[in-house]
Amino acid sequence: MLEFLEGIGSASVWAFWAPVVAWTGLAGVAAFVLARVRGLHPIAGYRLRQALLLALPVSVLAAPWVPGLLPAAPAPVGPMLSADGAVMAPSVAGGVALAADGPPGADIALVLLGAATLAILLLAIGRLAILATDLRQLRRLRRVAARVDDPVPRKMLHKLAEQIGVRRPVELLEGPPDSAPMTFGARRPVIMIPRALLRAPDSLDAVLVHELIHIRRADYSWALLDCLVSAVFAFHPLVWLLRRGIERCRETSCDTEVLARGFVRSKPYAELLAHTHTPTQFPMPAVAASLSAPSLKLKERLETMKNFAHKRLTSRQRVGIVLGAGLVCVVVAVAGACATRAEEEPRGEPEPSRALEGLQHLTLLSEADRAEEERRQVAAYEAEVERSYQSQGLVYQITRGPESNRYTYRATKEDVLEVLAEIDIGIQYLREQMDATRDAIRELSSAIADFHARGEEFRQENMPQVETLATDQRHLREKLELLRTMHTERMRESETVKMQYETQKRMHEGR
């Protein structure tokens, strides 16, 4: 049994453990940087964390095919003698085992490593079984759930799918009463919504838009791939940390896209999230993309919406995020795969003392190379992030919102011009409403004056109409005052954005 475990440990030390350890160092540093970066769009955090997670299986699978960076361990050919004159034979892992009269003793480190590898294998099988159970649960839900035949939700789903760009047919099903809205299915996507939300038209459009964005981005397929990786490497805490970050960024990026596209206003959407964040008795499968993420706090979700709801990514920025995530995945995977021994070359027979010194020097050299590789990868990642910002041109710090609730975010020149155009449209609309309100007030004043001109007796006979006209006039004056306040606020916001834009632009030109 010990020989069997020693053989497993010897076979897995460079084929499995070395890439895993190298990935842990690189991905750990990158995950720490991602957690500390402020102002990073949720879709960028979503894709970069996915790239780091997928780099782990890629590095393990690529390890046998990528040349190793570490030099081969010196393998002594002839026998060596210990201090008491006993014969020493080389072990499987390049160490030394005592070869006396009996068979060579087992290397305890390799035995423990083999036992850990077997435990990891059993844990992976158990997690894969749980994932298979979740998939069977989704298939059963799809089979027993009632199809929504009401034409109003179906027509709304078809219209929103065309606007968002979902070309595949989407099936709308009624979910259990105590469940949250969710979507699943790769080739034939399904949106499952409880009856309470199906009967609420004001909330149904926001729910459908959220789930359709999941379908357009193929989030179910990505979530299934993430679950497979998490099941196989269930022993690794960093895998679960990245998995929770992916789940949070998946939902927050979807929230910001719903608001950025203008399908729903922030306040009703926040109320919908607060309603769906209540705990439910229905067990939510981990694979399904749901409006309510168990690991995402409502406060964090609303804070992200507040910071990024007005920042819509351009197609160039989306392509840059995807390319950057792909580059991070390839770099981390290749670096992890290269953390293996090079093929051993035949050597002459060394002296015992020099062989031991070579092993010690090799260990120190390996640690130094690994640390240098980690520093190089972190520098490459930071340079890639900087290049992604530079590719967008000059980035401005823009302040928006009313005085009681202002916020600042980063925006490119195109974003600033789009914001100014949006504010100008709002100002023009407020001016039109103010002119129309003034005309209505003048018409009511003329009608009231006409009642007074016909005499006191006529006015007393038509007093209810006069009071109604006076009440309408008072309401219109209050509306006009509110429109003036909104117009002043929008004008102030426009001037603030213009001043910040011109100031930062001139400072950049001066530098």
Side-chain angles (χ1 to χ4, degrees):
M1 184 63 182
L2 293 180
E3 294 179 356
F4 174 71
L5 293 177
E6 184 180 5
I8 294 178
S10 176
S12 63
V13 62
W14 294 112
F16 177 78
W17 289 106
V20 169
V21 170
W23 175 87
T24 302
L26 297 175
V29 174
F32 178 80
V33 173
L34 284 176
R36 293 297 181 269
V37 171
R38 302 300 179 186
L40 184 65
H41 199 279
I43 190 65
Y46 176 38
R47 297 305 182 190
L48 288 174
R49 285 179 173 86
Q50 273 188 332
L52 291 175
L53 181 62
L54 297 180
L56 176 56
V58 173
S59 63
V60 174
L61 294 175
W65 314 99
V66 177
L69 293 178
L70 303 180
V77 180
M80 296 181 294
L81 298 178
S82 63
D84 56 359
V87 179
M88 306 290 290
S91 68
V92 181
V96 178
L98 180 63
D101 298 335
D107 191 338
I108 186 63
L110 291 180
V111 171
L112 294 177
L113 203 61
T117 305
L118 282 182
I120 288 171
L121 180 60
L122 295 176
L123 178 61
I125 293 174
R127 297 300 303 183
L128 289 173
I130 295 175
L131 178 59
T133 303
D134 287 345
L135 294 176
R136 284 197 300 269
Q137 181 184 2
L138 290 179
R139 286 198 296 269
R140 185 178 61 84
L141 274 176
R142 184 169 190 162
R143 186 172 58 254
V144 303
R147 185 172 179 269
V148 178
D149 295 326
D150 189 353
V152 176
R154 295 181 64 83
K155 186 179 296 183
M156 184 183 299
L157 174 64
H158 181 70
K159 179 181 178 182
L160 292 174
E162 290 183 351
Q163 295 178 0
I164 294 175
V166 177
R167 306 304 179 191
R168 292 175 292 171
V170 181
E171 189 175 1
L172 185 61
L173 301 179
E174 180 180 336
D178 54 353
S179 65
M182 59 181 172
T183 180
F184 55 90
R187 293 186 294 106
R188 295 181 301 160
V190 170
I191 296 179
M192 187 170 290
I193 302 177
R195 181 178 299 179
L197 289 177
L198 288 173
R199 295 178 177 178
D202 296 338
S203 302
L204 181 60
D205 56 349
V207 174
L208 290 176
V209 170
H210 184 99
E211 303 302 333
L212 285 171
I213 291 176
H214 279 313
I215 293 174
R216 182 179 59 81
R217 301 191 313 191
D219 283 341
Y220 172 79
S221 300
W222 288 108
L224 179 58
L225 187 58
D226 297 339
C227 289
L228 286 173
V229 176
S230 302
V232 175
F233 299 92
F235 71 98
H236 207 304
L238 184 57
V239 169
W240 292 102
L241 180 65
L242 288 174
R243 172 77 184 283
R244 287 194 293 269
I246 290 171
E247 185 178 274
R248 292 196 300 269
C249 291
R250 180 177 65 219
E251 296 304 323
T252 54
S253 64
C254 196
D255 294 337
T256 56
E257 190 166 353
V258 170
L259 296 178
R261 287 175 171 266
F263 287 103
V264 65
R265 299 179 63 184
S266 302
K267 185 176 179 181
Y269 190 72
E271 294 175 352
L272 173 63
L273 293 181
H275 173 72
T276 56
H277 257 267
T278 56
T280 61
Q281 298 179 359
F282 182 79
M284 182 65 62
V287 186
S290 172
L291 181 68
S292 177
S295 64
L296 181 59
K297 296 182 180 179
L298 180 61
K299 181 179 179 181
E300 178 185 355
R301 200 165 183 174
L302 297 179
E303 188 69 23
T304 306
M305 289 166 49
K306 176 183 175 182
N307 294 333
F308 297 97
H310 301 282
K311 184 173 177 57
R312 183 176 179 181
L313 294 178
T314 63
S315 58
R316 180 179 299 178
Q317 290 173 333
R318 293 180 183 276
V319 172
I321 290 174
V322 173
L323 293 179
L327 180 61
V328 169
C329 180
V330 171
V331 170
V332 175
V334 171
C338 289
T340 57
R341 297 280 192 190
E343 293 185 0
E344 183 179 344
E345 298 179 358
R347 300 176 181 269
E349 180 177 349
E351 297 180 1
S353 59
R354 292 185 179 180
L356 294 176
E357 292 176 0
L359 287 175
Q360 296 174 357
H361 175 70
L362 180 60
T363 303
L364 296 176
L365 182 61
S366 302
E367 294 177 356
D369 289 345
R370 186 159 54 249
E372 180 64 26
E373 181 68 17
E374 291 178 2
R375 288 193 293 269
R376 188 179 67 82
Q377 295 299 331
V378 172
Y381 171 75
E382 293 176 349
E384 177 63 23
V385 173
E386 185 64 25
R387 283 195 299 271
S388 65
Y389 278 123
Q390 292 178 358
S391 63
Q392 302 176 9
L394 179 61
V395 179
Y396 302 89
Q397 295 285 346
I398 300 301
T399 302
R400 293 198 62 187
E403 293 183 357
S404 60
N405 191 21
R406 291 199 170 184
Y407 59 94
T408 303
Y409 65 96
R410 303 181 69 178
T412 61
K413 177 181 179 181
E414 292 77 9
D415 295 333
V416 175
L417 297 179
E418 183 178 353
V419 167
L420 290 174
E422 175 188 351
I423 296 177
D424 291 340
I425 293 175
I427 292 174
Q428 182 64 29
Y429 172 77
L430 291 173
R431 288 174 180 171
E432 294 174 356
Q433 292 295 314
M434 291 168 61
D435 293 338
T437 305
R438 291 192 188 98
D439 294 340
I441 292 174
R442 283 195 291 268
E443 291 179 1
L444 291 177
S445 299
S446 177
I448 294 174
D450 184 60
F451 277 103
H452 286 284
R454 294 188 180 186
E456 183 67 21
E457 183 178 355
F458 180 79
R459 189 177 68 84
Q460 291 295 333
E461 292 177 356
N462 297 274
M463 181 57 67
Q465 299 182 15
V466 175
E467 292 179 352
T468 301
L469 293 176
T471 302
D472 293 343
Q473 187 182 38
R474 184 171 64 255
H475 290 166
L476 287 175
R477 292 185 185 279
E478 293 175 356
K479 178 182 178 181
L480 180 61
E481 186 64 26
L482 177 61
L483 290 173
R484 286 173 178 169
T485 303
M486 295 173 62
H487 181 268
T488 303
E489 185 66 30
R490 298 293 280 181
M491 289 291 295
R492 184 182 295 112
E493 185 177 7
S494 176
E495 292 300 325
T496 301
V497 174
K498 290 179 181 178
M499 179 187 66
Q500 292 178 341
Y501 171 66
E502 292 295 334
T503 301
Q504 297 177 42
K505 181 180 178 181
R506 294 184 182 182
M507 290 177 62
H508 177 72
E509 293 174 350
R511 287 196 299 268

